[in-house]
Amino acid sequence: MTSVAVGLSRDLAAKRVMRAEVQGYDIAVWRDENGGLHAWNNRCPHRGMRLSHGFVRDGHLACLYHGWHFRKDGGCAYIPAHPELEPPETISATVFSITENAGVIWVSATDTAKAPAEDGEWEPLRSLSFACPPEKVRHAIENTPFAGQLPERAASGHLTAGSTALLVHCAPLGDAETLAHLLVAAGTSLAGRKALSRWCETARESAEAGPA
Amino acid sequence: MTCGAILTLTGQLSAESALPWIHHRGQLLNLAGWVRREDDQTIRMALAGPEPLIEAMEIACSLGPGDVLVDTITRARHTFDEKPDTFVML
Amino acid sequence: MTFTLYNYVLSGNCYKIRLMAALLGVEYETVAVDFYPGMEHRSPQMLSLNPAGTLPVLTAGDLVLTETQAMLTWMATSFDTSGTWFPAGDPALLGVVQQWLGFSGRLTQSAGLARLHSMLDWPVDGQAACAAAVKDLRILERHLTDRVLEGGLWIAGETPTIADVACFPYVALSPDAGLEHDAYPAIRNWLYAIRGLPGFVAMPGIHYRHEGTSGTNG
Amino acid sequence: MSREYATNDWYPVADAARMIPGHGFTTRLLGEPLEVSGSFENPVVTARDGRMLPVQVRYGHVWTTTGSAPRPLFDIAEADETDRTFVPCGAVQVRCSPLRAVENFLDIAHFPFVHTGILGEEPHTQVAPYKVEIREDADEVWATQIGFHQPQAAKSATEAIETRYEYRVPAPTTAVLYKTCPPKPEAWDVIAIFVQPVAEDMCIAWPWMALYDDVSPYADLVQFQQEIFLQDRSILENQKPTLLPLDPRMEIPTRCDLTSVVYRRWLKRKGATYGALTTAA
C-alpha cells in the first residue's frame, strides 16, 4: 500500500492549500476552483519556498514568496517579476499522484495513488492528531471502550461498537505524530458523532499515556 | 536565420560535472543551441530562445555546479543559420 | 477620531484591536510603544496609564481600557450597528462568546509566550509554553470540529463575534513558535475564513489571502 | 561547510545600549556558547573555555570574533554622521541559515507578496534590470541602479514613490541597504541587517538603521523595521533546504535574482560556506 491518507475531502474546500507528509516527502495538497485535487512537492522550483503557504488564483497555485504561478499540471504560468515572459513548459512544480474516494484524500509519492474500496456509506467525522506512532494509535482505538463495549473489527476493516460504525485511516506526521482520519457510518446522528469525537479523544489520552 | 547569443565562461571549469550541468540548465529553460568545452578554462555555448531565459541561463551558469568556479562570463550576439530545436552537448 | 490605541506592531493582543477596528470600519489613532527592545510599556509614563504594564491600552476621552477583552466588548457595543459581533440579546450565545474570550487569555499565556520565546528569546520556559499551546490548540480544534459537525464555522453562532477576533491572533501566529497547523483542519479553515472577512488587515506572520489580483484581499 | 572562514569575521552579540552591568547573559555563536557581560563602556565576551574574546562597540552593537586572525570589521561611513537618527531594532531569532537571512534582505521581487502595501503591491511586480558587481578592491558585493514602486517606502513617506536602492554586502553575514530618503532626496537612508550565526541552521538578526527622519517618533521607526523583518521571518523558516545552496541546480534564478546569485558566487569563491550547502541539493 503506497498511498497515504492525507485528509478528509470535507476539510479541503475549493481554492484551499494544505501541507501533508507522504512517504517522507513534504507535499502541498490543493484543490482548484473546479474541485480538482493536486499534490506537489512542497517546494517552489524558483527559490525553494513551501508552496503550501501559497494561494490559489485564476486556477493556479501561486507561491507566497515571489508570486510565481503554476498551472494545474504543475507548469509555470506566470512570473510576476518578468510579466512579459511566457514561461517555458519545462519550468514546473514536481507533481505527485492524488485521488479521493469515500470522503478521504489519498496521495502517493512513488506510484499512482489508489484509494481502498470501502464497504458501506461513510461520512467525515474529523482528522485527529496523536503524539505517538500509528501502531499505538491503532492499539488504543481498538482497546478503548465505546458506550461500555470494546470496538470490534469487521471483516472489511472498519470498527463497530453496538450500532455504531467507525472507519479509521492512520498516517504518520513527522517522526513522532500520527494523523488519524475518522469517518462514521452515514446517518449517524449529531449526538452520535459528537460522542464518537469524545471517544477518540479518550483513545488519544490512552495512546499518549503509554510508554514511548 | 535565428538570433541568439554566444556565452563564453572562463574559470576553473575542468570538472566533469560542468557540461552536463549546463546542458541540464539549458533544457530546464527550454533553450536551444549547443554547448562545448574549449579547454579546461573555457566553455562556450550558443543559445536561442526568449531573452529573459537567455539571461536566466547566464545567471545560473555564473554560479554553476559546486565544483566549478566561474571567473568571467561574456556574451556576444550570434546568428543561427537554421533555427535549432534542441540543446546539445558537442 | 474615536479612540487612541497604544500599539506595538508585533503584539498579537494589539493586533486584536487593529483587526476589530478594521472589521468594523472604525478609524482610530495609534501611539507606537517600543515594547521591544525599548521596554517602553514599563516606562513611568505608560505605567501611569496602565499600572499592569501591559499592551495594548485604549483611551477614548476619559475612558482608559487595559484589558483586550474589555476593549473588544467596548468596540463592538460602540460601533457595531449590526449587533452581531457582541450578541448582547442572546444569553446563551453571549455565554459562549464570554467563554471563548476567557480562553483567548489562555492563548496569550501559552501560544503567545511560546512565540515570544522563539522569536525574541523571551526569558520564559519555551518548552512548557509550547506544551501548553498544543493543549490549547487541541481544545480549540475540538470545539471548532463540533461546530463543523453542527454545520457551523464560527466560534459561537452563525456569524463571527468578538470571540473569533480574540482567539484568532495567537492561533494564527503559532507557527512563529514552530507550532504548525498541519494537524488541525478545523482551525485551518476557521483561520482562512477570518482572513477572508471584509476589511481584514494582516500583521507580520499573518498574510493576506492574495486570491484577488488587487493584492491584499480584493 | 567551512567554519574556519567564519571564525575570522566579527559578529554582533548584544545591543550595546542595553548592556546592564551585573546582568550578563549566554548566547551562541557558530555553534558555541558565549557569555556576554559588562557594560556599554566595557563589554566582556567570554568563550566556553574561559578565553576572553576581542570586543568592539560599533553601529550600536557589541561585536566579537572567535578567530585567531580576524579580518577588520567593515566600515559604514554614515554611522559617523551625527545628524542621523540611529535605530537599533533589537534581535530576532530565525530558524534558518544566516546566509538565507542575508540573501532575503537583498531580494526585491518578493516585496508585493510579502510586504504588501508597504514595500510593494500588485500590479507593480516587474523588476527592472539593475547592476551587480563584486568590488574586488573592497571585497564586497554591490547591487546598484535598483528602482521599485513602493506604497510606503519609509515611515516618513507620505505617498507611493519610485524608490531607489543600492545594496552592499560587506561581509557574508551583513547586508546594508542605501535607500531613497523621502524627506531628504539628496541623501540615502541606511538600513542594515547584522546577522549573528548561532549555528548553520539558526541565526539572530539585528536590524539597524541610520536615518534622516526628525518627524516620526522613535518607536514608530523601530516598529516600521520590525514589521518588515517579521514579515520575512515566516518565509525564511519555510525555505528548503534550510542551508543556502551554492549549486543552484534545484532552483531557477532569473534576472531579478542576480544579487542572490552574485552573493552566492562571492561566498563560494571565498570559501565562506558556513550555513551553505556545498553539494548538489
Side-chain angles (χ1 to χ4, degrees):
Chain A
M1 184 71 187
T2 59
S3 297
V4 174
V6 298
L8 298 173
S9 300
R10 177 198 67 196
D11 292 334
L12 187 69
K15 299 176 72 176
R16 298 300 318 282
V17 197
M18 60 175 270
R19 193 184 87 85
E21 283 174 33
V22 175
Q23 293 141 345
Y25 287 85
D26 190 349
I27 309 259
V29 178
W30 66 284
R31 196 188 287 279
D32 63 45
E33 71 285 8
N34 302 321
L37 281 168
H38 311 275
W40 295 354
N41 187 16
N42 195 7
R43 193 179 171 280
C44 178
H46 173 220
R47 292 265 290 268
M49 175 68 191
R50 280 199 169 96
L51 287 168
S52 55
H53 286 247
F55 52 94
V56 179
R57 187 198 287 178
D58 302 335
H60 302 146
L61 178 61
C63 177
L64 180 62
Y65 196 3
H66 299 97
W68 285 32
H69 281 229
F70 299 90
R71 287 185 303 267
K72 289 158 192 157
D73 64 2
C76 182
Y78 178 59
I79 299 176
H82 302 285
E84 77 294 346
L85 173 69
E86 190 176 323
E89 60 206 29
T90 42
I91 298 180
S92 175
T94 306
V95 177
F96 296 116
S97 178
I98 187 164
T99 188
E100 68 185 321
N101 182 44
V104 181
I105 301 169
W106 298 83
V107 172
S108 174
T110 56
D111 208 344
T112 303
K114 286 193 193 76
E118 307 292 1
D119 266 2
E121 290 285 308
W122 298 95
E123 288 173 356
L125 181 67
R126 66 185 298 193
S127 297
L128 187 70
S129 69
F130 290 67
C132 59
E135 312 80 69
K136 293 191 72 176
V137 175
R138 290 191 194 98
H139 182 264
I141 283 177
E142 287 176 17
N143 290 280
T144 301
F146 178 72
Q149 64 183 101
L150 279 182
E152 286 175 26
R153 193 168 282 283
S156 60
H158 66 266
L159 298 170
T160 58
S163 61
T164 306
L166 189 70
L167 188 59
V168 186
H169 297 295
C170 289
L173 184 68
D175 296 332
E177 261 190 284
T178 301
L179 202 50
H181 307 288
L182 301 113
L183 300 103
V184 293
T188 305
S189 69
L190 175 60
R193 287 170 202 234
K194 285 190 178 175
L196 275 169
S197 195
R198 298 295 88 80
W199 167 79
C200 62
E201 286 157 7
T202 307
R204 175 165 72 184
E205 292 286 320
S206 100
E208 293 179 352
Chain B
M1 292 210 304
T2 299
C3 290
I6 293 264
L7 297 185
T8 307
L9 313 183
T10 69
Q12 297 166 41
L13 306 174
S14 59
E16 279 183 24
S17 61
L19 244 53
W21 192 98
I22 292 169
H23 185 243
H24 171 266
R25 179 63 40 162
Q27 289 182 316
L28 179 62
L29 297 172
N30 203 31
L31 293 167
W34 50 259
V35 56
R36 74 167 177 246
R37 172 182 295 288
E38 305 290 347
D39 54 48
D40 275 0
Q41 287 88 41
T42 315
I43 289 173
R44 184 160 290 148
M45 68 194 92
L47 304 168
E51 176 56 26
L53 297 178
I54 293 178
E55 284 177 337
M57 184 73 181
E58 184 177 347
I59 285 162
C61 288
S62 73
L63 194 48
D67 45 6
V68 315
L69 215 49
V70 177
D71 287 333
T72 67
I73 182 158
T74 53
R75 181 174 169 162
R77 257 182 237 179
H78 182 69
T79 307
F80 291 89
D81 295 336
E82 251 176 80
K83 186 173 186 282
D85 50 7
T86 56
F87 189 63
V88 292
M89 271 194 285
L90 298 182
Chain C
M1 288 297 159
T2 52
F3 66 89
T4 298
L5 175 68
Y6 290 79
N7 182 45
Y8 177 60
V9 71
L10 301 183
S11 155
N13 278 328
C14 293
Y15 172 60
K16 291 172 190 176
I17 308 309
R18 303 197 298 270
L19 177 59
M20 189 76 251
L23 295 173
L24 293 173
V26 181
E27 302 268 315
Y28 61 102
E29 275 182 2
T30 57
V31 176
V33 181
D34 185 6
F35 175 86
Y36 176 80
M39 302 292 280
E40 205 188 343
H41 56 301
R42 302 278 166 84
S43 67
Q45 199 184 359
M46 285 306 296
L47 286 175
S48 74
L49 196 59
N50 175 16
T54 56
L55 286 178
V57 176
L58 182 155
T59 62
D62 291 338
L63 180 70
V64 179
L65 297 177
T66 61
E67 293 293 336
T68 312
Q69 297 160 35
M71 296 175 206
L72 293 174
T73 305
W74 176 78
M75 291 170 76
T77 47
S78 304
F79 307 116
D80 171 26
T81 48
S82 73
T84 57
W85 288 95
F86 185 78
D90 184 333
L93 200 54
L94 191 56
V96 179
V97 168
Q98 293 291 353
Q99 156 91 8
W100 290 95
L101 282 178
F103 180 78
S104 72
R106 286 178 57 114
L107 286 168
T108 303
Q109 295 305 316
S110 60
L113 273 187
R115 171 173 172 264
L116 279 180
H117 177 74
S118 171
M119 204 166 76
L120 303 179
D121 202 18
W122 221 245
V124 294
D125 183 341
Q127 264 185 323
C130 278
V134 167
K135 201 173 161 192
D136 287 343
L137 289 173
R138 285 179 168 190
I139 291 171
L140 181 62
E141 175 73 10
R142 166 188 152 135
H143 176 69
L144 291 173
T145 302
D146 279 359
R147 298 288 298 124
V148 170
L149 294 175
E150 292 161 4
L153 166 65
W154 307 107
I155 282 181
E158 302 308 309
T159 58
T161 63
I162 59 172
D164 295 286
V165 175
C167 291
F168 175 71
Y170 287 116
V171 174
L173 292 167
S174 75
D176 276 349
L179 300 163
E180 302 293 339
H181 300 139
D182 305 332
Y184 308 107
I187 284 178
R188 279 204 304 273
N189 289 332
W190 168 75
L191 294 175
Y192 178 81
I194 292 174
R195 287 168 58 221
L197 290 171
F200 175 82
V201 288
M203 77 164 274
I206 305 175
H207 295 274
Y208 288 107
R209 279 194 187 179
H210 288 294
E211 288 165 357
T213 40
S214 70
T216 52
N217 268 359
Chain D
M1 69 104 158
S2 162
R3 205 173 163 280
E4 196 188 332
Y5 183 96
T7 56
N8 285 316
D9 272 330
W10 290 85
Y11 300 106
V13 291
D15 180 334
R18 297 191 187 280
M19 297 281 289
I20 303 168
H23 289 81
F25 62 92
T26 316
T27 186
R28 282 204 302 149
L29 184 63
L30 302 170
E32 298 290 333
L34 294 180
E35 187 74 25
V36 183
S37 59
S39 62
F40 179 90
E41 293 80 14
N42 186 24
V44 178
V45 179
T46 316
R48 181 162 55 178
D49 59 8
R51 193 165 54 107
M52 296 231 312
L53 297 177
V55 170
Q56 55 179 310
V57 175
R58 279 294 270 159
Y59 319 128
H61 292 85
V62 176
W63 298 75
T64 192
T65 177
T66 62
S68 52
R71 289 173 283 275
L73 179 61
F74 50 84
D75 189 48
I76 300 176
E78 291 79 2
D80 300 320
E81 295 173 5
T82 50
D83 51 344
R84 286 178 182 263
T85 304
F86 299 105
V87 189
C89 300
V92 180
Q93 288 193 122
V94 191
R95 285 167 305 221
C96 76
S97 155
L99 306 178
R100 280 209 183 271
V102 169
E103 184 193 58
N104 173 73
F105 191 84
L106 303 172
D107 186 86
I108 47 177
H110 73 288
F111 289 169
F113 303 97
V114 180
H115 307 298
T116 313
I118 307 172
L119 300 184
E121 65 188 349
E122 295 182 86
H124 306 281
T125 57
Q126 184 157 13
V127 178
Y130 56 88
K131 296 243 178 303
V132 190
E133 60 183 332
I134 297 172
R135 294 192 180 163
E136 304 288 350
D137 50 342
D139 191 22
E140 295 184 350
V141 176
W142 279 79
T144 57
Q145 301 174 28
I146 300 171
F148 206 71
H149 171 95
Q150 300 203 315
Q152 198 192 351
K155 194 71 207 174
S156 56
T158 51
E159 57 187 16
I161 56 171
E162 184 74 16
T163 313
R164 290 191 305 129
Y165 269 44
E166 288 194 358
Y167 284 111
R168 169 189 175 205
V169 186
T173 56
T174 295
V176 184
L177 162 63
Y178 300 86
K179 176 176 183 177
T180 306
C181 172
K184 196 170 165 144
E186 73 282 9
W188 296 100
D189 275 341
V190 177
I191 303 172
I193 184 170
F194 306 135
V195 180
Q196 173 187 348
V198 170
E200 285 206 278
D201 58 357
M202 171 77 92
C203 65
I204 297 174
W206 301 84
W208 174 85
M209 304 188 287
L211 309 176
Y212 286 109
D213 184 340
D214 41 23
V215 176
S216 304
Y218 184 84
D220 281 293
L221 299 177
V222 176
Q223 293 192 27
F224 184 79
Q225 189 53 30
Q226 287 183 341
E227 176 167 22
I228 289 163
F229 188 71
L230 268 295
Q231 287 174 332
D232 286 317
R233 186 175 181 268
S234 64
I235 298 285
L236 288 169
E237 294 194 339
N238 283 288
Q239 264 181 295
K240 301 190 302 176
T242 305
L243 301 187
L244 182 73
L246 293 190
D247 177 340
R249 189 176 183 91
M250 277 184 68
E251 302 189 0
I252 306 176
T254 69
R255 191 185 64 219
C256 65
D257 302 300
L258 188 58
T259 318
S260 147
V261 167
V262 175
Y263 169 60
R264 295 189 200 192
R265 188 165 156 241
W266 179 70
L267 295 174
K268 182 175 163 183
R269 217 175 64 169
K270 294 156 78 75
T273 55
Y274 188 82
L277 193 64
T278 49
T279 52

